[in-house]
Amino acid sequence: MSRISGTTSVRREDDALLRGQATFVDDLAPAGCLFLCFARSAHAGGVITRLDAEAARRSADAILILTGGDVAALGRTSVNPLVPGLSAHPAPLLAQDRVLCLGQPVAAVVARDRWAAMDLAESIGVEIAPELPGPCEALRQTWSQGDTLAAMARADHVITVSVQHALLAPMALEPRAALASWDVAAQALTVWLPTQTPHRARMDLARILGLSPDQVRVIAPHVGGSFGGKASLYPEDTVVALASMRTGRPVKWTATRSEDFLSATAGRGGRLSARLGVMADGAFVALEAEGAFPLGGWMPFSGAVPARNAGRILPGPYSVPHVDITVSAALTGHAPVGIYRGAGRPEATLLMERLVDEAARTLNIDPVALRLRNVRTRSDLPAPTASGDILDASDFPGLIATLRRSAGLRGLRREVARLRARGTLAGLGMALYAEPCGHGWESAAISLDPSGAILVATGSTSQGQGRETAAARIAAGALGCAEERVRVVHGDTALTPEGIGALASRSTPIGGSAIVKAVRLFLRKARALAATVLQAEPRSLVRNAAGWVTTTGTASLSWEALAQAALAPGVRNKGLATSARYEAKGEAWASGAVVATVTIDPDTGVPTVGQIVWIDDAGVVINPVLLEGQLLGGLAQGLGEALMERLVHDPDGQLLTGSLMDYRVPRAADIPPARIVSRPVRSRMNLLGAKGAGEAGCIGIPAAIINAIHDALAPAGVSRIDMPCTAQTIWTALQAQAHKGEAR
Ligand code: SMO
């Protein structure tokens, strides 16, 4: 049940998606298309002692075999140097003399179909002398403000918390895939890729393959989810492109689910600990926080983001005068870790919210009152954070007040008390979050089509979250025309201006603002042309749903007629083609407040989330149905993180959760009753006043659930429980506590 107001429009994507008519990369099969498979490292690191492709080469099925030597001269995928002093560890396209991690591609084989290619890949002999990677730190960043040491010494209480995040699989419905087609005559490469960042992929592909960017076109057709896992170009994508260039034929690779578990980017995995200095009256005075993050065997483009985000967001919504924060990240032997829905924000939020709830327990202060005592107030914001970022306009006291009202907090607490009185383990947990989302630039282009349709090309792409519907709404709103008149083009580097893409909750705030900016420029041109056609003063024209009309109402010009005029011979700027690059003046920060109740079966440890109430501030809401979809999807993944999901490696680095039989993702029946209320505060940072929404559920929900579980387990003496809070984890903790009691 949600309370999000505004006008809803039906998602234009859904007809094709629901009828199974959408085209994903694996659905594309150009004539003569070959299939590529990878032979991968079975070890978490080591030296390649033998690489025997002879049997594969001799096979009648083999069309092309590539090994490390074939790609040694080519470039590597790029790493965003976000953190000062970062040592980048990009991956070669195929392993060279050593393997960097489990699942790293060692060889690629091309055959006429997937099955022949799989057999060929199996026939490649790879021997590796395993060598687990030693500690290798790639980045470290610190932020500090005030004199934390002195303030901590003066504090009446010092609250300590540590949190271990499980390594997670981003788990898009559609696995990774790539289809490349090299046009020998035109010396041009087209790559179909389920990517969040087509333009970046194009630049990277061109650089690595030694082509000029205008020889490369990247097309993201329908994409079946991404969640950060498709934000960066993979070595595999580039090998597929190279194979097409070598064979002169289209080449396709589609990852199996197991291949993605093994080698697609993972998320989270950080270990964070912190100390919060609190005065007797509840005032937070000092925060010391440290986070250590795993990177996997090599770094994707956004490899530094989770650690950096987790550090720079602290202390989140709270005002803490003295702060020392350190984050670091080091190479590890599993698949690379990249951004995954939330990317550092869930880590910062959980750490802070655990501290606050523990402080409330220690000081015996109501956790709601303690939060109200320490949150930044509406009039404080926007304001700089400890990391020097600017925390956007938000209303944390307002979120808490709405949460109190909507959740009926007093009633929920009575219910928890009643359950406890009956001997049930029950708890209530709360979380606030402040979530930076959407900064930097994005592009948009507008033009009139001969039919009078208005074409909107956006740099933001779509992965099923409804970007076309959102872009049409934003453009139509700025144009003052019907949404049906707007046609949205995205995900094709040949048809859209250079842009960034869909990630970091930026598509609406930044991509949307770029559309608004382009529309404004376009309308100036449209007005001038309409005035010429109507022989009127430009200023005397107003827009209505059909097109342009003079203020006196004596003459009008439809969009159709204007399109004809804009395409007439002699017109220099055909279709009034307009493009814009919008750069936000700052980062939009979404925020929210969540409460969750949990009961735990003391005999089995099974946790059950009773209820979730969530007040969300995503800034100005563009389309309630899209917002609700994003929030609910994030809620589901946040719940999975808290209770179920974990990539497990054994001490040798072998993956024990390589399929959906072993890695538990939430299903529809796992989703508890949730009440979502939108309480927007306009962002001061972009033209739309919008903030992000897609990642919020992964940020606020786990913190509230984990706090509720700790609240439920506290009476049983369990003070720390790591994610995922499975029945097994909880039962083991309860047993340990019970036996400790016996021993005394
Ligand atoms: S984790 Mo996102 O796709 O920036």
Side-chain angles (χ1 to χ4, degrees):
M1 177 178 58
S2 313
R3 266 194 2 231
I4 306 173
S5 51
T7 316
T8 284
S9 36
V10 173
R11 287 173 29 127
R12 24 175 94 190
E13 296 83 349
D14 284 352
D15 194 66
L17 288 171
L18 294 174
R19 288 173 198 272
Q21 287 165 346
T23 306
F24 298 87
V25 169
D26 194 52
D27 295 323
L28 298 167
C33 187
L34 303 172
F35 204 92
L36 184 147
C37 272
F38 292 98
R40 295 178 180 276
S41 169
H43 294 278
V47 176
I48 300 175
T49 51
R50 192 178 71 98
L51 179 52
D52 183 1
E54 271 324 296
R57 279 188 218 282
R58 275 199 312 272
S59 159
D61 285 335
I63 294 171
L64 179 72
I65 313 277
L66 295 170
T67 59
D70 299 303
V71 299
L74 299 175
R76 298 181 171 208
T77 52
S78 54
V79 179
N80 191 353
L82 265 178
V83 171
L86 169 101
S87 61
H89 293 271
L93 304 191
L94 295 168
Q96 299 296 303
D97 50 338
R98 54 171 49 242
V99 292
L100 304 173
C101 59
L102 186 70
Q104 186 186 7
V106 174
V109 298
V110 177
R112 73 180 182 282
D113 62 38
R114 172 196 277 268
W115 318 114
M118 284 175 111
D119 286 344
L120 279 176
E122 287 282 322
S123 77
I124 295 205
V126 185
E127 278 173 30
I128 292 166
E131 215 178 85
L132 286 182
C136 176
E137 187 174 288
L139 71 93
R140 173 170 288 267
Q141 193 166 13
T142 61
W143 296 269
S144 100
Q145 171 185 291
D147 186 347
T148 307
L149 211 61
M152 198 68 85
R154 279 198 310 272
D156 294 318
H157 302 272
V158 175
I159 310 299
T160 305
V161 150
S162 7
V163 181
Q164 173 70 55
H165 286 259
L167 206 60
L168 303 179
M171 191 54 62
L173 209 52
E174 179 205 19
R176 291 175 298 160
L179 165 65
S181 181
W182 173 248
D183 182 332
V184 181
Q187 293 287 292
L189 179 70
T190 305
V191 182
W192 290 264
L193 208 58
T195 175
Q196 297 170 249
T197 57
H199 285 277
R200 190 196 289 162
R202 169 178 179 249
M203 298 308 275
D204 241 13
L205 282 164
R207 181 183 53 74
I208 296 168
L209 296 167
L211 300 170
S212 106
D214 41 85
Q215 287 174 283
V216 182
R217 174 181 184 183
V218 173
I219 300 171
H222 277 283
V223 177
S226 52
F227 313 117
K230 293 170 181 167
S232 308
L233 187 76
Y234 284 94
E236 285 95 327
D237 306 330
T238 318
V239 172
V240 173
L242 178 69
S244 177
M245 293 175 73
R246 291 281 173 89
T247 58
R249 289 171 65 177
V251 175
K252 180 160 76 179
W253 159 68
T254 307
T256 62
R257 180 63 63 192
S258 302
E259 210 173 358
D260 265 6
F261 270 116
L262 197 68
S263 60
T265 54
R268 315 277 194 271
R271 179 202 305 277
L272 296 93
S273 54
R275 305 198 317 138
L276 181 69
V278 188
M279 300 313 286
D281 65 358
F284 299 165
V285 289
L287 173 73
E288 241 174 58
E290 207 167 318
F293 291 77
L295 288 171
W298 55 273
M299 293 173 74
F301 184 79
S302 298
V305 170
R308 174 175 175 268
N309 267 352
R312 76 188 179 99
I313 289 165
L314 291 169
Y318 305 99
S319 146
V320 185
H322 304 277
V323 172
D324 268 345
I325 300 160
T326 302
V327 295
S328 62
L331 295 177
T332 43
H334 47 71
V337 180
I339 49 176
Y340 163 51
R341 203 169 195 172
R345 309 174 190 83
E347 291 90 327
T349 300
L350 181 60
L351 187 70
M352 209 56 218
E353 295 304 308
R354 287 287 307 118
L355 281 170
V356 177
D357 261 26
E358 286 308 315
R361 197 164 288 124
T362 304
L363 276 73
N364 199 23
I365 299 182
D366 170 19
V368 179
L370 186 61
R371 284 179 171 85
L372 276 173
R373 170 88 176 69
N374 289 284
V375 285
R376 292 176 181 251
T377 60
R378 189 166 184 166
S379 56
D380 282 350
L381 300 170
T385 65
S387 61
D389 295 320
I390 306 292
L391 181 50
D392 197 0
S394 290
D395 183 7
F396 296 105
L399 288 167
I400 294 173
T402 307
L403 185 67
R404 260 184 170 152
R405 217 168 327 123
S406 301
L409 267 184
R410 206 172 304 163
L412 286 181
R413 282 195 173 138
R414 265 201 306 271
E415 173 67 9
V416 166
R418 195 179 60 79
L419 289 167
R420 280 182 179 165
R422 285 202 336 220
T424 310
L425 292 170
L428 182 145
M430 185 181 169
L432 289 181
Y433 58 90
E435 172 200 354
C437 41
H439 68 143
W441 65 277
E442 190 50 275
S443 63
I446 317 272
S447 62
L448 266 171
D449 150 282
S451 69
I454 297 169
L455 302 183
V456 174
T458 167
S460 304
T461 57
S462 193
Q463 293 92 42
Q465 75 280 54
R467 292 303 329 148
E468 284 177 43
T469 304
R473 162 69 60 89
I474 292 165
L479 285 157
C481 72
E483 271 176 55
E484 293 68 37
R485 186 176 292 283
V486 176
R487 283 224 306 270
V488 178
V489 180
H490 64 87
D492 184 338
T493 59
L495 303 178
T496 57
E498 180 79 35
I500 304 275
L503 69 167
S505 295
R506 72 198 314 283
S507 301
T508 293
I510 311 300
S513 292
I515 292 173
V516 171
K517 182 174 174 181
V519 164
R520 288 178 185 168
L521 295 170
F522 168 82
L523 284 177
R524 235 182 271 164
K525 295 178 189 173
R527 176 184 295 275
L529 182 62
T532 309
V533 174
L534 294 173
Q535 296 185 322
E537 272 295 309
R539 271 181 311 177
S540 75
L541 296 181
V542 291
R543 272 170 292 145
N544 63 20
W548 297 83
V549 60
T550 53
T551 38
T552 51
T554 48
S556 66
L557 190 69
S558 65
W559 282 112
E560 286 78 3
L562 188 68
Q564 290 311 312
L567 291 158
V571 174
R572 253 186 301 139
N573 183 5
K574 288 275 184 279
L576 304 176
T578 306
S579 70
R581 184 181 190 277
Y582 170 79
E583 176 135 25
K585 62 178 182 182
E587 219 171 357
W589 288 62
S591 58
V594 184
V595 70
T597 59
V598 166
T599 51
I600 290 168
D601 182 325
D603 296 325
T604 62
V606 171
T608 306
V609 177
Q611 211 187 129
I612 288 177
V613 183
W614 175 8
I615 320 300
D616 177 72
D617 169 11
V620 171
V621 177
I622 306 300
N623 186 340
V625 79
L626 295 181
L627 175 59
E628 185 182 16
Q630 287 296 299
L631 296 179
L632 282 174
L635 182 150
Q637 280 183 314
L639 182 99
E641 168 163 19
L643 300 181
M644 300 160 192
E645 298 185 42
R646 184 180 166 215
L647 288 168
V648 184
H649 296 87
D650 75 8
D652 293 329
Q654 292 300 323
L655 180 66
L656 301 182
T657 49
S659 83
L660 284 167
M661 294 297 285
D662 313 299
Y663 184 93
R664 170 82 155 91
V665 289
R667 300 165 194 160
D670 295 316
I671 307 305
R675 195 172 145 74
I676 300 177
V677 178
S678 166
R679 189 183 186 288
V681 173
R682 170 176 278 273
S683 168
R684 305 275 180 81
M685 303 301 179
N686 59 70
L687 296 179
L688 285 169
K691 303 171 179 175
E695 301 178 84
C698 277
I699 300 166
I701 301 298
I705 293 177
I706 299 299
N707 268 343
I709 288 174
H710 280 88
D711 189 46
L713 293 176
V718 175
S719 59
R720 174 177 167 181
I721 188 115
D722 281 322
M723 290 180 290
C725 295
T726 60
Q728 184 193 359
T729 315
I730 294 172
W731 185 86
T732 307
L734 283 170
Q735 292 304 306
Q737 204 52 41
H739 292 309
K740 215 195 267 175
E742 279 164 22
R744 272 198 212 113

